[in-house]
Each structure stands twice: as C-alpha cells, then as structure tokens.
Amino acid sequence: PRTECSCTACGGHLGHVFDDGPDPTGQRFCMNGVCMKFTSDEDDPELAASVLERQKAEPYKVGMTQVFQSVAVYLGLGGLTLNSF
C-alpha cells in the first residue's frame, strides 16, 4: 500500500510514501521532484504566511509507529555507545 503526499499550500500531488522502506522507519519516499519548487519565505511572503496558517490549523502529527521506532533506534544506539567504553 502507499500513501499520497500533497502540498500543504496548494493541495497538489507530490508523490507517495510506501511501507517497504529501510530501517528504522520502514518508509520509502517516492517524490516527484519536477513538481517541487523550493523558495525562501522572503521570496514569497504570501505563500509563507499561507503555509504557516495551514500548519497552525492542521499541525503535522507524528504517528505512534514513528515514535516507537525512533525511541527504539535511539535506545539501541545509546546502548551501543555505553557498551563501547
């Protein structure tokens, strides 16, 4: 299965996220670079304000599977570091 990624500013299709990626997240991103245009907030203040308002209205939420995987990796790497002394 795949999950579609959309632009927060215009809703346009950016690509997909798949669940068959490498550790630690298991995610693989397939983004359409042709559809992306990177600009600074100073270059387009109106767009920057629009994106900020959308982020305030619907903030990005990290899924619990991402949190658990990140914690597991952090603890695993911490254990490796502590065990190396």
Side-chain angles (χ1 to χ4, degrees):
R2 64 186 184 181
T3 303
E4 181 179 10
C5 296
S6 301
C7 175
T8 59
C10 70
H13 176 80
L14 296 176
H16 296 93
V17 179
F18 297 85
D19 291 332
D20 62 353
D23 291 334
T25 65
Q27 295 178 324
R28 174 174 57 93
F29 295 86
C30 183
M31 298 291 126
N32 182 356
V34 173
C35 70
M36 295 183 208
K37 179 182 176 187
F38 298 95
T39 60
S40 70
D41 291 350
E42 292 82 24
D43 289 342
D44 196 341
E46 187 176 320
L47 177 61
S50 172
V51 170
L52 183 60
E53 287 301 314
R54 285 177 182 248
Q55 289 173 340
K56 287 179 182 176
E58 297 180 44
Y60 175 74
K61 295 180 181 142
V62 176
M64 289 309 292
T65 55
Q66 290 172 298
V67 171
F68 290 134
Q69 289 171 348
S70 296
V71 169
V73 168
Y74 177 76
L75 292 175
L77 292 176
L80 289 173
T81 303
L82 292 175
N83 290 333
S84 65
F85 291 107

